């Protein structure tokens, strides 16, 4: 996004956060989970964690960080949530082939499109 490269993201859950989102049924995070590396070695340089976040953030802090990051950089508009990717395969050859992606959104019928 920063360099103007178009992208489309797919996320099986209903929001960002991946495994750090304890509300995600696929999350393996547990209630007392926290980072084992400091927030300063984990955070993105262009988006530091809030000062009140502990040096070793909890899973709740990490989830909030990802929510805030997605909001700040407008990433949610580039993601299809509730979407399971079923297959990805290259179309053509060379250094920059297209990619054919098959997905199912919210349990609907399978859809296919090609992406650069």
């Amino acid at each position: 996004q920063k360099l103007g490269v178009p992208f489309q993201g797919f996320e099986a859950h209903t929001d960002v956060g991946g495994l750090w989102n304890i509300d995600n049924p696929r999350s393996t995070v547990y209630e007392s989970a926290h980072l084992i590396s400091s927030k300063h070695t984990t955070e993105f340089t262009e988006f530091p964690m809030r000062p009140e976040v502990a040096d070793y953030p909890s899973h709740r802090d990490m989830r909030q960080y990802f929510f805030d990051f997605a909001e700040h950089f407008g990433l949610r508009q580039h993601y299809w949530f509730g979407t399971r990717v079923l297959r990805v395969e290259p179309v053509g050859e060379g250094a920059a082939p297209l990619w054919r992606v098959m997905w199912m959104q919210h349990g609907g019928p399978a859809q296919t499109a090609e992406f650069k």
Side-chain angles (χ1 to χ4, degrees), residues 20 30 32-44 49 53-59 61-62 65-66:
W20 285 104
Y30 47 92
S32 62
H34 64 279
L35 280 182
I36 60 170
S37 57
S38 85
K39 70 180 186 181
H40 301 294
T41 59
T42 302
E43 65 193 5
F44 293 104
M49 290 189 194
V53 171
D55 285 337
Y56 295 89
S58 71
H59 71 85
D61 292 326
M62 291 305 299
Y65 179 70
F66 292 130

Side-chain angles (χ1 to χ4, degrees), residues 87-108:
R87 183 181 311 150
V88 178
E89 57 192 10
V91 178
E93 296 184 20
L98 290 176
W99 291 90
R100 182 174 297 126
V101 179
M102 178 185 289
W103 70 92
M104 184 179 356
Q105 193 167 28
H106 303 292

Side-chain angles (χ1 to χ4, degrees), residues 62-87:
M62 291 305 299
R63 179 177 68 173
Q64 189 60 52
Y65 179 70
F66 292 130
F67 284 6
D68 294 345
F69 187 92
E71 187 66 29
H72 180 79
F73 291 103
L75 296 180
R76 282 187 178 92
Q77 68 186 8
H78 297 282
Y79 274 78
W80 292 339
F81 294 100
T83 303
R84 293 190 59 199
V85 173
L86 306 172
R87 183 181 311 150

